[in-house]
Each structure stands twice: as structure tokens, then as C-alpha cells.
Amino acid sequence: MTPAQPPAHSPPPAAVLLVPGCAGLLALGCLASVLGSGTAQRPVALAFGGLVVLGELTRRTGAEAREAAPLGAAGALAYALLGDVAGQPAHHGVAQTVTVVLAASLLGSVPYVARGRGPVLDHLARRVLTVGFAAVCFRPLSNQGAFDDWSGPAHALLLLALLALTTLCDAVLAAAPAHARTGWPFGPLLREELRGMVGITSAVCATGAVMALAVSVAGLWALPVFCVPLLLAQLSYRRYAAVRATYRQTIASLARATEIAGYTPAGHARRVAGLGVAVGRDLGLSGAELTVLEYAALMHDIGQLSLVDPVPAGATASLPVSEQRRIALLGGAVVRQTGVDAAVAVVVERQADPCREQPVAARIVRVVNAYEEKARDAGPGGVLTALEELRLAAAGDYAPEVVEALARVLSRSSLTEPAAG
């Protein structure tokens, strides 16, 4: 069967390239300025540049890395917000700050680029623009002595306020390209970025502020001392990420049990999970809610393992409601015995309830599962046929807002009609 492809979302090139384009223009302007005027306080520039290089060399890799090089980011922010060095005023300007950070980031990325795992353009663009934003807010006034009378708590609060504005700027720079590429609503994307910054980004900002304050008093010797806690935190985060990855792989393996046993078509759970997460993003679910949704979608059919006679092609959407609920309850019981989060079991158990009584994740799993089954068996034009069947279903079968979100996701993505198992 030849998959029928829904209309693809083609993001405007200008919107996608806006952030890298602005970063490139800023970098070129700053580099030209530094080449024309020279470098101020070279030992300081080399020290902070070396710190950024070290941060890039110890960067995390992986799709889920929100701040891949936390030590490099902290060092870059500290250099932008540096007022004094051992009691002597720091004289570097905005142009030198951006140039040093960009050069150090590129230098530290060389080993990864050589192995084909270098940082994406968005990473460097965001680094340049966020550091440039912080430097523009602080450096001109600092070089003019506007903050000379700010000492103690007042100076610390000033740095924290500037870092909060910089964090907001970084969140906007992360959400805008994602919105342009995917077409997902900008508001939920921005909220998700801000939620995610509560963790590692808070540590980056705190370390950057502490470094700037410590170097003002103790000099450059403070840098190696205050980078150690962030390196240890990064190591702990790597271990946590490894445990999470193993946990997800375990769930994915459990989900494949129905496929291996011949109860469901190959790839069905994976397709439902992928499309379900996209619908959840469209509806504005948070990161934690999306994780529960993904795990529940992967395991939504696991109750079929308790059946003596398999459902033909694993198509539970066409079964009587009472049978759907029985399979859902059996699946929830299995999920609870595996030790997976109880919230996942609740979604699995309630996927066959009337939509008005379901949590949002259960509504999504029910709609996406039904769509995948209907589109798989509908032949050519299955995408539109399946959506129309969902829209015309009896009241209470499928949540209308979820069906419309599914239609939006399909209309702006390259997702194809489910393949026959």
C-alpha cells in the first residue's frame, strides 16, 4: 500500500534563518571592531576564553541536552558581567566579549566537528545572541562607572536581574526557531523552554554570577575553584540522563511485547507514541505531561497480552466499549506491576472511558490509536478518511479538540499514513 502523505508544513526560510542571521551579523560586526581596536586585558580574555573552551570540550551530547555546555555558558555570562578583576576595573567592551566567546566556542567544538557531532548552528547562534544581550545590558554602563557605587547585595541582585532577562531572551531564541520549523504554537513552546530552564540553566546563571563576583575580589584564580561544582553537577546530570535513557528503553521493550507476540502490527506503538507526543505539544502539554503521554502511548496495547484470542490486527478501536475497557484495565494492571510511574497506568486504564471523564493524555491516546488503526486499513486517502471518521463518530467517543489538534499536526508535518503491519 502506498502511503498517502498529508500536506507538509513548509516553514518560511526567513523565519528559520532569522536567529542565525542576526547572530552572524553581530559576530561579524564585533570581530571587525576588535580587529580595528585591539584586545583589552588579554590575560583576562584568555582566562575566560579558556574556560569556555573547557566547557565545550566537556559538553553533553544527545537530543535532550537543553544546555549542552553548561560550564561554557557560565563562563561566557561571567565574562559579559565582569565588573572588576581583583579590584581593578575590567575594560573589555561588548565587541570583545562576543568575539572571545564565539572564538572559544568554535575552538572547543573542533573535536566534535571532526567526529561529525559538532554543535548545531542554533546552539552557536543562541550563545552569541544571549551573551551579546547580557553584554549590551551591562558592559557600556559598567565601563562608564555607572555601577561603581553598587556593592555587596546590590551588585549581586543587579547581576541576577540581568541574568533573568538573559534567560528570558534565551528562551525566546530557542522557541522562535522551533515554532518556525514545526509550526507548533509559540506560547506552549516558550512556556516549555522556561520550565526546562528551572534546572540546569538556573545552575548556569548562578555559577556565572558567582564567578563574576569572585573574580572581582580574588582575581582569575577564582575561576578554577568555582567551575568545579558545575562540572560535578554536570557529571551527576549525565548519570541521571543515562538512567532515564535506560528506563525509556525498558518501556519501549515492554511495548514491543505485543508486536513480538503477534497481537499488534509492527511499529504500531511507536507510531502512536510519536504522533501522540506531537498532538500533546500542539495542545500545550508540559514536558512531564508529554513524558507520561509517550510512555502510556507506548504501552497502551499491553493489555492485549491477557487475551486468549488476539484481536484481528490489534484493532481495538472497533471493539465494543465494554471490551475496550476490559483490555484497558488489564493493561493498567500490567503497567502497575512493571514499576512504571502510576500516572502512566492511569492513562492506560482510562483510554477507553468516555472522553469527558478522561485526562487529556488518555484522550490523546484514544484518538491517535483510533486514527492509526483506521488510516492503516483505509487504503489510498486513508489520512483524510480516518480524520473524517473520527469527526463523525458518536458524541463522547473522541474528544473534538484532540481530533482537531491531530488534524493540525498532520497538516503541517511530514507524517505519513501508517504502514500496514
Side-chain angles (χ1 to χ4, degrees):
M1 179 173 61
T2 303
Q5 184 166 322
H9 171 72
S10 180
V16 175
L17 298 176
L18 180 60
V19 171
C22 292
L25 291 175
L26 176 61
L28 289 175
C30 291
L31 178 60
S33 176
V34 171
L35 291 176
S37 61
T39 305
Q41 296 176 311
R42 292 186 180 181
V44 178
L46 288 173
F48 279 94
L51 184 62
V52 174
V53 171
L54 177 62
E56 291 294 333
L57 292 175
T58 57
R59 64 184 288 114
R60 306 193 313 274
T61 57
E64 295 184 358
R66 184 174 297 274
E67 175 51 71
L71 182 59
L77 290 174
Y79 189 50
L81 302 178
L82 184 65
D84 298 306
V85 180
Q88 299 300 317
H91 299 302
H92 60 280
V94 174
Q96 180 170 318
T97 302
V98 172
T99 302
V100 168
V101 170
L102 177 59
S105 299
L106 291 173
L107 181 61
S109 302
V110 169
Y112 297 95
V113 173
R115 295 198 297 265
R117 296 188 301 167
V120 296
L121 183 61
D122 284 347
H123 165 73
L124 290 175
R126 285 173 56 192
R127 174 70 60 80
V128 168
L129 291 177
T130 52
V131 170
F133 176 83
V136 166
C137 292
F138 182 81
R139 295 246 54 88
L141 294 176
S142 176
N143 291 341
Q144 294 174 9
F147 303 131
D148 289 348
D149 296 332
W150 295 56
S151 60
H155 189 62
L157 289 175
L158 170 66
L159 296 186
L160 291 176
L162 291 176
L163 287 171
L165 290 175
T166 304
T167 299
L168 179 59
C169 173
D170 188 40
V172 172
L173 292 175
H179 169 68
R181 283 194 303 267
T182 65
W184 292 334
F186 178 77
L189 285 171
L190 180 59
R191 287 197 299 271
E192 183 59 26
E193 287 294 331
L194 292 173
R195 288 192 193 106
M197 289 180 174
V198 173
I200 189 66
T201 306
S202 299
V204 167
C205 291
T207 304
V210 170
M211 281 182 177
L213 293 172
V215 171
S216 296
V217 176
L220 297 177
W221 291 106
L223 289 180
V225 175
F226 286 95
C227 75
V228 172
L230 193 56
L231 285 173
L232 294 176
Q234 184 175 336
L235 178 61
S236 299
Y237 187 87
R238 279 182 177 173
R239 292 180 177 176
Y240 167 74
V243 171
R244 246 186 106 177
T246 303
Y247 182 68
R248 189 189 183 283
Q249 291 170 1
T250 302
I251 292 177
S253 299
L254 288 171
R256 291 192 65 237
T258 57
E259 301 174 13
I260 295 172
Y263 283 86
T264 58
H268 170 71
R270 176 178 50 81
R271 290 191 295 270
V272 172
L275 186 51
V277 170
V279 173
R281 285 188 181 276
D282 186 89
L283 292 173
L285 269 62
S286 67
E289 292 169 330
L290 289 173
T291 300
V292 170
L293 170 60
E294 180 187 15
Y295 292 168
L298 285 170
M299 305 183 74
H300 75 281
D301 271 332
I302 203 167
Q304 294 195 44
L305 293 175
S306 302
L307 301 178
V308 177
D309 298 319
V311 178
T316 56
S318 59
L319 294 177
V321 175
S322 59
E323 186 65 10
Q324 292 183 37
R325 289 180 181 172
R326 185 175 78 88
I327 295 174
L329 291 174
L330 290 171
V334 173
V335 173
R336 292 182 188 278
Q337 292 177 10
T338 63
V340 177
D341 187 355
V344 176
V346 171
V347 175
V348 173
E349 289 172 342
R350 301 188 62 184
Q351 60 179 308
D353 290 356
C355 67
R356 292 182 299 276
E357 303 173 10
Q358 292 176 308
V360 175
R363 297 181 185 183
I364 294 173
V365 171
R366 181 185 179 106
V367 167
V368 175
N369 175 63
Y371 162 79
E372 210 273 339
E373 293 177 0
K374 292 176 184 296
R376 184 179 63 225
D377 300 329
V383 171
L384 297 178
T385 302
L387 283 173
E388 192 64 21
E389 289 183 16
L390 292 177
R391 285 172 171 148
L392 296 177
D397 283 354
Y398 306 108
E401 71 277 7
V402 178
V403 176
E404 295 309 313
L406 172 62
R408 290 193 297 270
V409 168
L410 292 172
S411 70
R412 62 173 175 251
S413 71
S414 58
L415 293 170
T416 60
E417 177 185 314

